[in-house]
Amino acid sequence: AGAGALLGADAAATSAAADEMDARRKAAEEARRAEERRIEEEHRGILSPEGRYRVHMGAFDLWAARPAQWKMRHSERRKCFEVLEAIRNEPDPDDDPDDEDEPPRLLIEPFEKLPGPRELPDYYELIRCPVDCRSVERALRRAPERSYASPWFFAVAVELMLTNAQTYNDEDSQIFEEAGILRRAFHKAMSARFPGQPLPKSVAVYESCDEPDWVRPPGWAPPITDADV
């Protein structure tokens, strides 16, 4: 009888240990899944709608904290076109500007139009918000309610174009370097036309497209009606 009781106790202890191990495995699996969900949410960044407002960006939408304005004025749109033209005309600094036989190559050439998903499928697997120069121009030409809400979101689109190129291409590649040159030209053109306007930062633009608080020009007010646009 004593031996039977001992065996019973051992079996109970073994069962309890197995249950405890099983519970630990389940807890570890639950923690792993929770961490995966957290990482996925962080990865989504500007594509995560939770507690945010949908912002039209042309070919896709982003989600941001409540924008300060929802439509651009004609004067702002004109300046954005000027900025786009400025970066389109940025020459290759390694080319000879005095060479009449071969005019300087423009750095924007590989950014003007992206290859399609069939030509570059791995690009579209990695880059979730593809942007090229033509798509930026098309968005600027759309009706105000379907275009960029403000100069800030125009800047977000251009920065996405440049950050996408540097994310996909190696750091020692020519296009990575040229994206950096275009970014400097873009910042210079924006500063000249929109003094004080904050600009999105490289890579960080994937995590947030919220416009920072900043001191706007005296008398500034967001457009309220179509007549204000």
Side-chain angles (χ1 to χ4, degrees):
L6 185 58
L7 288 173
D10 288 345
T14 301
S15 177
D19 290 343
E20 185 179 354
M21 288 183 65
D22 188 56
R24 287 180 180 179
R25 278 197 299 268
K26 288 181 178 179
E29 179 66 15
E30 191 84 22
R32 184 185 65 78
R33 290 178 181 174
E35 180 66 4
E36 286 180 350
R37 288 194 296 270
R38 183 188 68 78
I39 292 172
E40 175 63 19
E41 284 301 313
E42 287 184 355
H43 180 64
R44 290 174 67 184
I46 55 178
L47 296 175
S48 176
E50 186 173 353
R52 292 171 175 269
Y53 293 81
R54 183 190 297 268
V55 180
H56 296 302
M57 296 293 288
F60 55 87
D61 295 339
L62 301 180
W63 279 262
R66 186 177 181 85
Q69 72 182 82
W70 289 98
K71 293 182 181 179
M72 270 205 280
R73 292 184 172 85
H74 291 308
S75 59
E76 293 172 327
R77 189 187 302 262
R78 175 180 52 77
K79 291 177 182 179
C80 289
F81 273 117
E82 291 175 0
V83 171
L84 193 61
E85 189 67 16
I87 62 174
R88 274 177 159 163
N89 289 324
E90 186 68 17
D92 185 340
D94 294 331
D95 285 356
D96 183 359
D98 299 323
D99 187 347
E100 296 180 359
D101 296 329
E102 187 175 351
R105 181 180 69 89
L106 299 179
L107 297 182
I108 202 65
E109 288 177 5
F111 299 86
E112 192 66 41
K113 187 177 187 305
L114 281 169
R118 289 186 179 181
E119 302 166 273
L120 210 61
D122 60 332
Y123 179 89
Y124 291 87
E125 290 174 6
L126 176 65
I127 302 301
R128 307 183 73 178
C129 298
V131 183
D132 58 24
C133 209
R134 290 188 187 182
S135 68
V136 174
E137 180 180 357
R138 283 197 301 271
L140 281 174
R141 294 189 183 280
R142 286 193 171 103
E145 63 273 8
R146 297 176 57 237
S147 184
Y148 301 123
S150 65
W152 163 261
F153 286 105
F154 162 72
V156 167
V158 175
E159 182 52 57
L160 279 171
M161 178 178 74
L162 301 174
T163 291
N164 288 346
Q166 292 185 319
T167 299
Y168 179 75
N169 294 278
D170 294 335
E171 289 188 21
D172 58 354
S173 65
Q174 181 177 350
I175 195 169
F176 187 101
E177 178 185 357
E178 291 177 352
I181 298 172
L182 285 173
R183 182 179 288 111
R184 290 191 289 273
F186 170 62
H187 286 188
K188 180 179 178 181
M190 284 292 290
S191 297
R193 291 161 180 82
F194 299 101
Q197 168 71 59
L199 296 173
K201 298 184 183 300
S202 173
V203 181
V205 71
Y206 285 154
E207 300 170 6
S208 172
C209 61
D210 298 348
E211 184 171 11
D213 292 331
W214 62 290
V215 179
R216 300 177 185 273
W220 181 91
I224 299 174
T225 67
D226 288 345
D228 297 326
V229 176

